[in-house]
Amino acid sequence: NGMSAQSSETNTKNGQKSSSFLGRFVRLLFLGLFVWLIVRTFIFQGMYIPSNSMSNTLNPGDMIYVNKLAYGPRIPVTPLRIPFTDKYLDWIQLPYWRIPGYDEVRINDIIVFNLPTDTALPTDCREYYIKRCVGLPGDSFAIVRGIINVNGNPISNPTKAMSMYAVALKQEENPDSLFGKLGISGSYSTSDGIHYTLFMTWLDADRLDSTGKTFSITPSVLDADRYDYKMFPQNTAKQYRWNADNFGPVKIPRAGETIALSLNNIHLYKTAIDVYEENTLENRHDSIYINGAYATSYTFKMNYYFVMGDNRYDSNDSRFWGFVPEDHLVGRVNVE
């Protein structure tokens, strides 16, 4: 009986130890998950590049880390999220609020944001996009023959940004071999094996020129009168007949700034006023009404940004869907 009691006591102690270990493990697991959620939500978040829109600066499959402290971490709109998934519960949706950051968005910053056109989803559940900021709140933005102009001043393309070139070779070459050996990864087309339309950086163009196999390498841009109906604001009016190399000018809204509205420019700001800032905008008898009141101007509540991909001819960006509202900003990516 003594041995039986001793065995029972040993089993009890072992059970208590196992229970205690399991309890500590579960607590550590939940603590680790909590810390991970705090870091991911407010400090930085890892992501993979899904597309070619930022080539060659960032290529598909590259891992990036988004700095959320720079512009200020955003308080989640939908705090009830299922970890490690894109699932969320919309039982609670909080108003937009951002903790102040230590920096502000600047021209040429690479930023991550939620895609504004995903309007069926809460803001922080929309698809992540990564682009380069090329226009700030209050700026006048334009593209003139492929050159970005901000407030009338030309802005140089990033070193790794891809542009379109017309290339004439001295003789027919295997393009995959010629371009591949030089590390030129952009797409190309040709009608005769001699003349090519090639997408590459200016450094690529220099390398190709140094081979001695070309007659000419010339930057190529779309004609100003070549209208692309897919361009923002998708309106056929004469003042909006833009394309990827000739765009604007457009005034980018700034918080607290009042912009005069007319039938000539309302298409540029309708989505910002109506959707992003949650007003009711109507056109009645050639007049503009906001929240039922006749309006000739509007004072914006948020800052907005204009973004483009570095692979300018293969990027779905502000040229096609307009401004990025500040409440969609996620953070900044530092690239060497």
Side-chain angles (χ1 to χ4, degrees):
N1 288 340
M3 289 182 65
S4 177
Q6 191 176 32
S7 176
S8 176
E9 184 178 344
T10 301
N11 289 339
T12 300
K13 288 181 178 179
N14 288 338
Q16 288 174 344
K17 287 181 180 178
S18 297
S19 177
S20 175
F21 173 78
L22 182 61
R24 286 198 302 271
F25 176 78
V26 170
R27 285 195 295 272
L28 285 172
L29 185 65
F30 275 97
L31 178 61
L33 179 61
F34 176 75
V35 170
W36 175 81
L37 286 172
I38 292 296
V39 170
R40 187 179 188 273
T41 302
F42 297 106
I43 302 176
F44 70 86
Q45 180 178 348
M47 298 179 184
Y48 286 100
I49 300 298
S51 72
N52 288 307
S53 69
M54 287 295 293
S55 300
N56 288 317
T57 306
L58 295 168
N59 297 306
D62 285 354
M63 181 71 171
I64 60 169
Y65 290 94
V66 184
N67 177 356
K68 298 186 176 184
L69 293 175
Y71 308 142
R74 183 178 58 181
I75 302 302
V77 175
T78 50
L80 301 180
R81 307 289 289 271
I82 302 174
F84 308 109
T85 74
D86 294 327
K87 306 297 183 183
Y88 68 94
L89 301 175
D90 58 3
W91 303 341
I92 300 175
Q93 292 197 33
L94 303 177
Y96 165 68
W97 189 66
R98 188 183 296 275
I99 299 170
Y102 64 81
D103 204 354
E104 58 187 20
V105 183
R106 303 175 190 277
I107 293 288
N108 279 328
D109 276 5
I110 297 177
I111 64 175
V112 173
F113 55 93
N114 297 106
L115 181 62
T117 56
D118 282 351
T119 53
L121 298 173
T123 303
D124 59 344
C125 295
R126 297 172 186 177
E127 184 179 0
Y128 289 124
Y129 261 44
I130 179 167
K131 306 290 179 187
R132 190 178 295 275
C133 179
V134 292
L136 297 173
D139 284 346
S140 175
F141 176 87
I143 306 174
V144 181
R145 292 191 56 79
I147 303 298
I148 294 172
N149 281 255
V150 176
N151 300 322
N153 300 312
I155 302 297
S156 299
N157 282 341
T159 303
K160 294 184 178 181
M162 298 180 74
S163 300
M164 183 165 57
Y165 288 84
V167 177
L169 300 181
K170 292 180 178 177
Q171 62 184 36
E172 283 198 44
E173 296 275 353
N174 181 328
D176 291 333
S177 176
L178 175 60
F179 304 148
K181 285 179 180 177
L182 296 171
I184 299 173
S185 58
S187 59
Y188 62 84
S189 60
T190 181
S191 57
D192 56 11
I194 294 290
H195 298 88
Y196 284 82
T197 298
L198 181 59
F199 297 93
M200 56 184 171
T201 68
W202 66 266
L203 291 172
D204 292 335
D206 277 353
R207 283 200 299 273
L208 182 57
D209 186 50
S210 67
T211 64
K213 295 184 177 182
T214 62
F215 274 122
S216 62
I217 301 177
T218 325
S220 181
V221 296
L222 301 173
D223 292 335
D225 59 357
R226 183 175 172 181
Y227 166 58
D228 185 344
Y229 70 93
K230 297 189 295 295
M231 291 285 120
F232 173 77
Q234 288 87 40
N235 189 280
T236 58
K238 185 177 180 180
Q239 67 266 31
Y240 303 129
R241 292 181 176 270
W242 299 334
N243 60 44
D245 285 330
N246 299 276
F247 186 98
V250 295
K251 176 77 170 177
I252 304 172
R254 180 172 59 196
E257 183 175 31
T258 301
I259 292 182
L261 300 178
S262 69
L263 296 180
N264 288 329
N265 72 354
I266 190 59
H267 303 286
L268 297 172
Y269 305 113
K270 183 181 188 305
T271 301
I273 296 170
D274 193 26
V275 179
Y276 305 150
E277 303 203 353
E278 299 180 339
N279 298 285
T280 301
L281 188 149
E282 301 173 278
N283 285 0
R284 299 186 206 159
H285 311 296
D286 292 335
S287 296
I288 299 165
Y289 287 79
I290 298 176
N291 299 324
Y294 175 70
T296 57
S297 64
Y298 178 78
T299 302
F300 286 86
K301 303 171 188 174
M302 285 193 291
N303 287 318
Y304 291 81
Y305 303 87
F306 203 95
V307 298
M308 289 172 58
D310 283 0
N311 191 357
R312 299 286 159 83
Y313 297 93
D314 189 15
S315 175
N316 179 26
D317 52 42
S318 288
R319 293 169 298 174
F320 297 92
W321 39 256
F323 312 114
V324 176
E326 67 177 13
D327 64 350
H328 285 59
L329 290 182
V330 176
R332 182 173 68 194
V333 176
N334 295 323
V335 177
E336 294 182 359

